[in-house]
Amino acid sequence: MSIIYGERIRLRAVEREDVKKFHEWVNDPDVTLGLALNLPLSMNDEERWFERASNRTPEERPLAIEMRAGEGWRLIGNCTFFNIDSVVH
């Protein structure tokens, strides 16, 4: 999958090195407020999530969200899309 660019953000494939940041976020009460997550998750839990996500079909794998930061990019979140119709009508 190619990187999807916007003016100030981009979506790219999630990489193993992103898991550490995701682990930090999933254990932050401000991030998980309103989600069905109420118990802390270990790094092993997050690694297992990454492995399961990596085995999904390409259309259903999570994407990393990055914003432009100077000359580079900064990871700010992730998302997953389901049931995308990729055929242009």
Side-chain angles (χ1 to χ4, degrees):
M1 173 186 201
S2 300
I3 295 174
I4 302 168
Y5 286 94
E7 284 186 39
R8 297 183 309 167
I9 67 167
R10 72 181 185 177
L11 302 176
R12 62 162 175 80
V14 169
E15 301 291 346
R16 186 170 299 282
E17 56 264 18
D18 298 324
V19 172
K20 183 176 179 183
K21 182 56 86 174
F22 295 163
H23 176 253
E24 179 184 321
W25 291 337
V26 80
N27 285 293
D28 181 333
D30 290 332
V31 173
T32 59
L33 184 68
L35 299 178
L37 299 170
N38 53 10
L39 295 174
L41 295 176
S42 69
M43 183 59 90
N44 284 338
D45 293 330
E46 200 65 19
E47 287 282 347
R48 283 193 299 276
W49 168 84
F50 176 78
E51 292 302 326
R52 286 189 311 272
S54 297
N55 289 321
R56 292 181 186 159
T57 64
E59 297 82 12
E60 293 185 349
R61 290 184 190 148
L63 299 170
I65 306 168
E66 294 182 316
M67 66 178 280
R68 192 170 287 289
E71 296 297 316
W73 296 91
R74 181 169 63 103
L75 182 64
I76 61 168
N78 63 54
C79 62
T80 305
F81 299 99
F82 295 94
N83 301 319
I84 294 176
D85 181 358
S86 61
V87 177
V88 178
H89 298 277

